[in-house]
Structures are given as structure tokens and as C-alpha cells.
Amino acid sequence: MGNAVRSFDEPLLSPFDIGFGPTLPKRETVENGIAPADVYFSPERFDAEREIFSKVWLFAGRVEEVAQPGDWFVKDVEICDASVIIVNDRSEGIKAFHNVCLHRGMKLLWEPRGHNGLFTCPYHAWSFATDGTLKALPDEENFPQVCKREQKLKPVSVDSWAGFLFINLDPHPQQTLEQFLGPISNKLIDAPFDAYPRSASLTSPMDANWKLGNEASGEGYHVSSLHRKSAKGWALPEDNPHSHSLGWEQVGPHLITTLPSNPDFTVDLTARPIQAFAFMNQAQITSNSDDAPDQEAQPSFSDHPDLNRPKAKNWGGDGFFLFPTGQIGVFPNGWWFNSYWPVAVDKSRWYARWYFCAPKTRRQRFAQECMMAMYRDVLTEDNFSINGQHQGLASGALEQVYFGYPEILLRHMSGIMQAAVDNRLGGEPERLAAE
Ligand code: FES
Ligand SMILES: [Fe+2]
């Protein structure tokens, strides 16, 4: 199969529904690849994005992070000033609560993750069980107005798909998670995510609008230029120098894309001995495992029927871009998620986590660290540049930006978010030509 961009199932301009009714993506962006520049710096549009984040399902983490009763982690949704505890309760299973003490609103948990049977507020030591009930408060007799058994941490909706946990800040979500994910909710259910138990995360604050980060991770057009020293060699096959998607699928507001790898890549042992050592001992996650002869055979995503639907020989991975932010990237030898979360119109937070197989040898363990350093360098190139891009756009010098035809993800991500925002702002909706 060639590198032509194509849809598996749907026409280019397909309606989506995030709980506000069927909406068409912005036609000018999806069909012509033109987007207005102010989507990156308009305070009014950012306020509408805040409303959207407060009503749709948001990817929060993995079930492995709360594998045992008492395990918990905190997911902050800064655009909504929200902080959410996700916890495994022994009798009720996985629950989510606002990370807000019922006494006088103090942030209850300050660490990112942990294991407790009881959450104790640092301010006046009210304490709560993992099912949210108030268990104890000092000087209790002087709070006659507080009935302990009626007091429960404020709940947040939580649900899961294929081991991925999602939360919804709306007290009455417009859609179930299954409705929100549509046909994606039937994909990857039995994929071998648990074969990659070793993970490492990177995060950093960004001086840029959150959509710029997602757009950088949604196109390979920049790899031969921005990553010419760090990633071009292993990421770009000779016959696909601009990393055109090998296939794509729109699933409501979400998108799946298939990416190439470079099966002919070899590292120069003399010029880059450490990187060569790493590639010999740990299959690069976007390559087939026989690239690393010392690595033992292990379960792989390569043969999963939901992945690599174009059946590309040089399959580098599938990216699942989930509205409103972030992608799950599933590769032949591992996976990651990469997301840029809005904080303010010109501030965001980057968060990524890579998953590797359990190392069998010290050499493989060392090689995984080398791989992480390599990915860190690549993403640092992205993030540093994106901050400069935001500055340029926020100057107001440009009226519009351009997406190439193969940058199908960018055209859709932008077209869908623009339409969702226009919908909240009461703009004129797009119509199908036949209407
Ligand atoms: S605010 Fe939490 S105990 Fe007072
Ligand atoms: Fe990049």
C-alpha cells in the first residue's frame, strides 16, 4: 500500500456529538486546511473551551495505577480549577471524588499518588474513608451541625475503557463514556497493555496554548526539520520523508491514525555508540522486535486486529487522539500517552508516559533509560519550539494558519474543536452540502 491518506469508513466531513447534539466540524479547516489564528489566543474562545472540558469525559490514567484497594492518584484539570482523587475502594471499586475537604474546602491530597485507607486533611485533620465518607473530625462535639454519616466527599463520574480511566466533571454527564467513545469503546479491549508494565513519565509547564502541543504530536511533517538530528533517522522511511499518515479513521470527535517507521534504520556505531547500544538491547518501541536481537520474544501489539488496519509492513504505530486532548500511541513494542492540558489561554501542561516491557537484563534496563533520554530530547525540541510558536501567533501578526492535506489529524482536531466552541458561543453551525 502506498502512502495515500484515506478514510477507512467515513466521508471527510462527518458529524460528531460530544453531548450537545450532532455538530459538523469547521468546513474551512477540515476541507481546505485553513484555520483562524485567534483560536490559539482568544480569551472568549478559551472560556468556551473551559465549558467543554467541564462537560466531556477526560482521560485520567490507567487502572494499573489503582490496582490494589487503597491505591489512589490525583488528576488535576487546571482549566476547570478542579482536582480529582481516583481511588480503589475495597468494597465499591474504583471511585472518584473532588479533592476538596468538606470542612472548609482545603485541598485534601497534595501528593500525586499514594496508598491509604484514610485521607486526612492537612488543615484541621478531618479524615475520610476511601468510599468518601467522613470518618473522624477532631473536637467533634463542637460540630453538632455535622452529621458524620451524611457527609461524603463530592463524587465525580468515573468509568473505564480497555484499562483507561476517564472522569467527567459534569454532575450529570450528557453522555455515558461508551456513547462518548462510540465505536472506539469496542477497540483494544484485549490488547496486551499489561505486557508493558514498566513506565516512565515526563511533564513540564508550557508557555503556549494547549492545542499547539497536540498539533505537534499529531503531525510528522516537522520531523525532517525540527527533529533532523534526534528522530529523523529512525522515524522517517526513505519513501515517506514527510511521515504521511498510512491511514486514518474519524470516530465522532476522535481520530485514529496509522504511522510509519523506518525499517532500514541503523545507528552509526562509531558516531553514536550509546544510542547503538540502546537499539541493540531494547527494541525501539516504534520498530519490530527483531531490530533488537538480544531482546526476548514478548507479546506485541503488531498482530492485534484493531491496529495497523492498512496492514503496512513498516508499521510504526497507531495514534488514538481522544477529544478534547491527548493521544494514546500504540506501537509494535510498547505504548505511550501524550497530552497537553490547558491551564490558561497562553499556558498549558505537558504530560507524557511511556510504557516498556519488564527488562530481562541490566543491559536492557540501561537501554530503556537511553530510550527515555532520546524521547525526552525529541519532545523537548517540540515543546521549546511550541512556546515560540505561541508567541508568534499571540502577536496577532497572522490571520490564519495552514494544514497540509496529509495533516488530516490537525484538520480534524482543529475543525472539531472550532465547531464545538462555535456551538457554545452560539455561532452559525456548519451544514452538509445536501441540507
Ligand atoms: S479544611 Fe479540611 S479539616 Fe479543615
Ligand atoms: Fe515532534
Side-chain angles (χ1 to χ4, degrees):
M1 107 140 245
N3 292 324
V5 177
R6 66 186 175 86
S7 164
F8 297 127
D9 300 315
E10 297 187 82
L12 197 59
L13 201 67
S14 303
F16 65 93
D17 188 352
I18 54 171
F20 307 128
T23 307
L24 276 177
K26 196 78 178 168
R27 180 186 294 275
E28 176 75 341
T29 302
V30 171
E31 292 189 343
N32 299 333
I34 297 174
D38 75 343
V39 300
Y40 304 105
F41 59 84
S42 156
E44 188 190 24
R45 297 191 73 84
F46 188 76
D47 286 345
E49 289 173 356
R50 176 181 293 114
E51 191 187 342
I52 291 164
F53 271 78
S54 72
K55 291 186 180 303
V56 300
W57 289 93
L58 303 169
F59 172 49
R62 285 283 303 172
V63 288
E64 293 85 0
E65 296 178 72
V66 283
Q68 303 299 324
D71 287 351
W72 57 266
F73 67 91
V74 171
K75 174 65 193 168
D76 290 331
V77 185
E78 290 170 272
I79 187 174
C80 300
D81 291 325
S83 177
V84 177
I85 302 167
I86 292 133
V87 60
N88 185 339
D89 176 66
R90 185 171 296 281
S91 47
E92 297 188 19
I94 295 175
K95 310 281 292 177
F97 303 103
H98 283 281
N99 187 13
V100 179
C101 177
L102 296 184
H103 175 214
R104 275 164 49 202
M106 177 57 71
K107 185 171 168 179
L108 188 56
L109 300 178
W110 288 67
E111 297 294 323
R113 62 190 64 246
H115 178 93
N116 295 81
L118 214 56
F119 302 138
T120 301
C121 179
Y123 203 2
H124 312 93
W126 284 32
S127 54
F128 302 85
T130 53
D131 67 356
T133 50
L134 176 60
K135 293 305 270 190
L137 58 156
D139 204 15
E140 184 177 344
E141 57 276 20
N142 283 310
F143 287 87
Q145 72 277 44
V146 175
C147 174
K148 256 193 331 201
R149 51 170 200 285
E150 287 172 6
Q151 296 284 338
K152 227 173 170 188
L153 292 173
K154 299 299 174 195
V156 172
S157 295
V158 61
D159 203 349
S160 69
W161 152 70
F164 295 93
L165 293 167
F166 292 77
I167 54 173
N168 193 317
L169 296 172
D170 189 338
H172 306 287
Q174 310 287 312
Q175 295 178 311
T176 62
L177 178 62
E178 195 177 342
Q179 288 169 331
F180 178 68
L181 292 176
I184 285 183
S185 61
N186 296 319
K187 293 180 187 285
L188 303 181
I189 302 293
D190 55 351
F193 290 104
D194 54 359
Y196 303 92
R198 183 173 162 69
S199 72
S201 69
L202 291 172
T203 183
S204 85
M206 305 273 303
D207 291 322
N209 184 270
W210 63 283
K211 296 188 292 297
L212 294 174
N214 284 332
E215 288 174 4
S217 78
E219 51 97 347
Y221 183 39
H222 69 278
V223 173
S224 63
S225 173
L226 189 64
H227 302 312
R228 61 191 173 280
K229 291 186 180 162
S230 58
K232 180 182 171 184
W234 51 263
L236 299 179
E238 250 176 45
D239 63 349
N240 189 356
H242 299 297
S243 191
H244 292 172
S245 168
L246 302 175
W248 65 279
E249 182 180 6
Q250 180 191 346
V251 184
H254 320 289
L255 288 127
I256 306 169
T257 186
T258 298
L259 303 165
S261 69
N262 182 4
D264 303 321
F265 175 62
T266 51
V267 189
D268 182 338
L269 247 174
T270 313
R272 298 188 173 197
I274 302 296
Q275 194 183 45
F277 177 82
F279 275 74
M280 280 162 53
N281 288 289
Q282 163 67 38
Q284 215 260 336
I285 62 174
T286 55
S287 300
N288 290 317
S289 59
D290 53 5
D291 287 355
D294 288 356
Q295 183 171 315
E296 287 181 36
Q298 58 175 340
S300 163
F301 291 109
S302 293
D303 302 321
H304 197 280
D306 295 338
L307 298 166
N308 188 17
R309 288 182 59 193
K311 302 289 173 231
K313 270 177 74 180
N314 60 336
W315 180 57
D318 279 9
F320 286 68
F321 286 80
L322 300 179
F323 183 90
T325 186
Q327 66 153 310
I328 297 163
V330 185
F331 309 113
N333 275 309
W335 65 280
W336 77 326
F337 62 80
N338 186 33
S339 52
Y340 292 82
W341 288 79
V343 175
V345 68
D346 58 353
K347 298 265 183 291
S348 52
R349 193 169 304 281
W350 169 59
Y351 186 69
R353 185 176 282 271
W354 285 259
Y355 289 80
F356 299 90
C357 61
K360 305 277 190 335
T361 63
R362 288 194 190 91
R363 287 185 307 171
Q364 196 181 3
R365 171 81 181 75
F366 178 76
Q368 289 178 347
E369 292 295 338
C370 290
M371 289 286 170
M372 275 307 298
M374 190 177 77
Y375 297 136
R376 176 205 60 203
D377 290 350
V378 174
L379 269 295
T380 301
E381 287 173 341
D382 285 316
N383 293 344
F384 181 78
S385 310
I386 290 162
N387 289 346
Q389 184 188 12
H390 182 91
Q391 221 179 2
L393 289 163
S395 74
L398 302 186
E399 276 139 27
Q400 57 193 31
V401 296
Y402 305 101
F403 303 129
Y405 182 68
E407 295 178 277
I408 199 84
L409 279 171
L410 272 55
R411 290 195 283 143
H412 269 93
M413 277 196 291
S414 180
I416 285 167
M417 185 49 90
Q418 281 181 63
V421 165
D422 289 347
N423 192 327
R424 304 323 294 156
L425 294 175
E428 184 64 23
E430 292 284 359
R431 299 193 187 286
L432 282 172
E435 285 184 82

